Amino acid sequence: MKLTVAEENYIKAIYKLESQHTKATTNGLAAMLETSPAAVTDMANRLQKKKLISYEKYYGLKLTPSGKKHAMHIIRRHRLWECFLVEKLGFGWDEVHHLAEELEHIRDERLIERLAHFLQYPSFDPHGDPIPDAAGTLKTAPHIPLSHAPVQQPLKVSGVADQSAALLRFLQQKGIAPGTRLRVLHIYEYDGSVEIKLLKQSSFTLSQQVANNIYVQTYGKN
Ligand SMILES: [Zn+2]
C-alpha cells in the first residue's frame, strides 16, 4: 500500500508521540503538524479506513501493527539518508535532518536496499538513533546519559537526546560524536558537571545540562 506524504507524516508523528508514551490526541497532533483539529480528524478517518490506526474520539489515535510497520520503514529511510548525507556527501550532522525529512518519502524499495547495502548496513544514524532493519525491527541499545555514567570505564558515545543544531555544533567543536570513545574522570557533586577525557586528549569539563543530553554505552576492552 502506497501512502501519501501527508499520510506518512501523520504516521510518523503518531509513532513519535507513542514512543514518548504520550497519547496522540487530535489537538496534540494539530499542534505538532501545524494544522487544524478538523484536518486531523479527516486524516484520522482516512488512516482508519486503511487500517493503519485505530481512532476513537476520546482515546485518540493509535497505530495498528500495520501502521507501526509503516512507521518503522519511514524511520529506516530517514535514518539511512542521514547516514548517506553525513558519511558520503560530507554534510554536518546538524544539517541533515530537514533534508532527510524530504528524502524519507521516496519509497522505492530497491533504492533503499541499495542505499543500505552501499552504507554497509549501519545500525545507527549520525545522531546515534538506531536504524530499523529491512523487516522493520528496531534493536534499541541501552543508553546511559553521560551525567550518570560510571567513572573510569571505557565508554562510547551512542547518541544525543537533544538534536538542536546549537548543541550538535557545540559537541562537534569538542570532538564529540556518536562512536567517540571517552572516559569519565569525575562527576562534580556541586553542580553535576562532568570531567571527561577523550582518547589522546587532555581532559575537559562539560556542564550537567550538556552531559544529560549525551548518551553513552560501556564497551569491553576489545
Ligand atoms: Zn533526522
Side-chain angles (χ1 to χ4, degrees):
M1 176 184 10
K2 290 266 188 223
L3 307 183
T4 66
V5 169
E7 288 169 343
E8 289 194 336
N9 283 335
Y10 271 83
I11 297 283
K12 211 171 61 161
I14 299 166
Y15 176 79
K16 192 167 181 191
L17 291 173
E18 286 185 356
S19 62
Q20 294 165 347
H21 305 286
T22 309
K23 194 165 85 176
T25 61
T26 313
N27 286 332
L29 280 167
M32 203 167 159
L33 297 164
E34 296 176 341
T35 185
S36 66
V40 176
T41 306
D42 277 353
M43 180 59 92
N45 290 326
R46 248 164 82 184
L47 294 174
Q48 190 167 35
K49 266 196 206 119
K50 295 190 170 182
K51 299 195 165 58
L52 295 169
I53 63 160
S54 61
Y55 169 52
E56 276 172 67
K57 222 171 179 171
Y58 298 99
Y59 297 97
L61 294 75
K62 267 205 190 109
L63 293 177
T64 61
S66 160
K68 188 163 178 227
K69 202 160 178 202
H70 275 90
M72 297 322 291
H73 283 286
I74 303 163
I75 289 165
R76 173 173 166 78
R77 297 193 297 256
H78 181 105
R79 294 182 179 167
L80 284 172
W81 282 120
E82 286 191 338
C83 287
F84 175 74
L85 293 168
V86 170
E87 284 170 29
K88 304 296 177 190
L89 299 190
F91 282 92
W93 65 335
D94 55 331
E95 300 176 305
V96 294
H97 180 74
H98 72 279
L99 292 169
E101 289 280 273
E102 297 194 39
L103 290 164
E104 70 186 17
H105 298 295
I106 307 170
R107 279 148 297 190
D108 188 303
E109 253 173 60
R110 277 175 61 220
L111 171 68
I112 296 307
E113 281 329 298
R114 283 193 191 185
L115 178 65
H117 179 76
F118 179 59
L119 296 167
Q120 298 176 324
Y121 303 97
S123 311
F124 295 94
D125 77 8
H127 306 111
D129 289 320
I131 301 175
D133 64 18
T137 321
L138 191 65
K139 291 185 211 83
T140 35
H143 285 310
I144 327 165
L146 187 60
S147 49
H148 291 84
V151 172
Q152 286 297 1
Q153 266 192 43
L155 302 170
K156 196 164 76 181
V157 175
S158 57
V160 284
D162 173 359
Q163 298 195 356
S164 65
L167 177 68
L168 297 182
R169 274 198 299 270
F170 173 82
L171 294 179
Q172 201 155 30
Q173 278 167 8
K174 296 283 183 195
I176 299 170
T180 300
R181 295 179 177 204
L182 55 87
R183 276 172 194 266
V184 171
L185 301 185
H186 197 82
I187 299 179
Y188 291 91
E189 212 180 307
Y190 174 62
D191 63 354
S193 60
V194 179
E195 187 180 358
I196 64 165
K197 188 180 175 328
L198 310 191
L199 267 162
K200 294 177 194 155
Q201 281 189 33
S202 45
S203 68
F204 57 90
T205 302
L206 295 172
S207 71
Q208 185 180 38
Q209 194 196 345
V210 169
N212 270 336
N213 282 298
I214 301 173
Y215 289 127
V216 292
Q217 287 173 298
T218 54
Y219 68 95
K221 289 249 152 77
N222 296 311

